[in-house]
Amino acid sequence: MWGAQTELDARTTQEVAEVNASGRPPVVFIHGLWLLPSWDRWAQVFEDNGYAPLTPGWPDDPETVEEAKAHPEVFADKTVGQVADHYSAVIEGLNQKPAVIGQSFGGLLAQMVAGRGLSAATVAIDAAPFRGESCRCPSRP
């Protein structure tokens, strides 16, 4: 594993077990920063087309928006590396390499997972920039 040992929550552990039991190609969806898993419609499209989707949250994500509003501190004090380690742990629990799809900050995490050699294919939708990059690049000669 890439970083410190990451313990997966019961929901994610169950989801990984179901995907493995299905034998279908897995697709892992990674949501952006300050969000909860929101890939339900996309996951259904992939499910309907023979894939086994996983929509795990970030480490310690609350189950509901109400819980998130009541305890916003659970989103704090996580490094990008820790979140990438979490998704690496999810993927390492699978029987086959998944396609990984991430949006915004999730797109950056998807690229990090791909860089670790853990995905069969990767899609980064409007990915957050890597350190040192800017969305507004100056003109170059």
Side-chain angles (χ1 to χ4, degrees), residues 31-36 58 75:
H31 67 77
L33 191 60
W34 298 302
L35 298 171
L36 295 177
W58 287 33
F75 296 102

Side-chain angles (χ1 to χ4, degrees), residues 16-42:
V16 167
E18 290 171 4
V19 166
N20 285 337
S22 77
R24 293 177 291 144
V27 179
V28 176
F29 293 92
I30 304 177
H31 67 77
L33 191 60
W34 298 302
L35 298 171
L36 295 177
S38 53
W39 291 96
D40 294 344
R41 289 185 285 181
W42 280 105

Side-chain angles (χ1 to χ4, degrees), residues 102-122:
Q103 188 271 331
S104 186
F105 211 88
L108 173 62
L109 292 165
Q111 292 175 67
M112 292 175 73
V113 167
R116 294 176 177 187
L118 299 175
S119 61
T122 303

Side-chain angles (χ1 to χ4, degrees), residues 41-86:
R41 289 185 285 181
W42 280 105
Q44 189 61 56
V45 168
F46 278 80
E47 176 97 27
D48 293 346
N49 285 282
Y51 294 89
L54 286 90
T55 58
W58 287 33
D60 305 319
D61 264 0
E63 289 293 320
T64 66
V65 171
E66 291 75 24
E67 286 180 60
K69 287 180 180 180
H71 300 284
E73 69 278 1
V74 301
F75 296 102
D77 299 323
K78 291 177 184 65
T79 67
V80 175
Q82 288 170 324
V83 179
D85 289 346
H86 171 76

Side-chain angles (χ1 to χ4, degrees), residues 81-137:
Q82 288 170 324
V83 179
D85 289 346
H86 171 76
Y87 280 101
S88 294
V90 171
I91 292 168
E92 289 171 343
L94 296 171
N95 292 340
Q96 51 184 310
K97 282 187 178 184
V100 178
I101 301 172
Q103 188 271 331
S104 186
F105 211 88
L108 173 62
L109 292 165
Q111 292 175 67
M112 292 175 73
V113 167
R116 294 176 177 187
L118 299 175
S119 61
T122 303
V123 177
I125 303 166
D126 196 22
F130 284 92
R131 177 182 58 202
E133 291 184 7
S134 171
C135 292
R136 296 182 185 196
C137 296

Side-chain angles (χ1 to χ4, degrees), residues 137-141:
C137 296
S139 298
R140 296 189 182 161

